[in-house]
Amino acid sequence: LKAKVTFRTTLKAIEKALDKAAEAAGVSRDEIEELGTPAFGFEDGVLREMFGDAVGELHVDGNKVLARWINEKGKALKSPPAAVKRDFKEQLKDFKQFGKDAEGVLLAGRERLDTLFLSGKTWPLSDWCERYL
């Protein structure tokens, strides 16, 4: 929400809520944002979803989330098969939006990591692995 909302009053309310959540959890504000970052169900940077006999895949590639498609014959495609476009319009729309949302969180995470680096933040390796690997 913090990344999408532009109305100042709402942003202030979001900031207060984040501060309260951090205090209640006994962690810093930065940590509450790290802990609250969703993984979106990606495993090893890949998320797969079935569209009938076809498979849609979202791949984390650097700063991007890219879609790949595999048709019913196992052939890799650059765009969704015609059957997916025809028979799964709503699911396809949601899948594309999911990729955009995941990419937005990925970019926000990158900015947060850059800021933490510049601030000299340190934490145990186990925490870093749990939150970022």
Side-chain angles (χ1 to χ4, degrees), residues 49-56 69-72 77 80-81 83-84 88:
E49 187 169 335
M50 296 300 298
F51 293 80
D53 292 332
V55 178
W69 295 91
I70 301 169
N71 68 11
E72 65 281 352
L77 306 171
V84 169
F88 298 92

Side-chain angles (χ1 to χ4, degrees), residues 100-118:
K100 288 179 185 178
D101 292 344
E103 187 170 284
V105 168
L106 181 67
L107 293 172
R110 185 191 73 195
E111 288 179 25
R112 191 172 52 256
L113 275 174
D114 287 346
T115 302
L116 291 173
F117 173 75
L118 295 172

Side-chain angles (χ1 to χ4, degrees), residues 71-104:
N71 68 11
E72 65 281 352
K73 296 177 184 174
K75 182 181 176 189
L77 306 171
K78 292 184 180 181
S79 62
V84 169
K85 292 178 184 177
R86 181 186 65 240
D87 300 336
F88 298 92
K89 288 180 185 178
E90 211 43 49
Q91 185 181 350
L92 178 58
K93 179 182 170 189
D94 292 345
F95 184 73
K96 288 178 179 181
Q97 185 60 51
F98 189 86
K100 288 179 185 178
D101 292 344
E103 187 170 284

Side-chain angles (χ1 to χ4, degrees), residues 8 19 28 30 45-46 51 64 66 78-80 82 108:
R8 285 184 189 221
D19 289 339
S28 73
D30 291 335
V46 180
F51 293 80
K64 300 268 184 204
L66 305 173
K78 292 184 180 181
S79 62

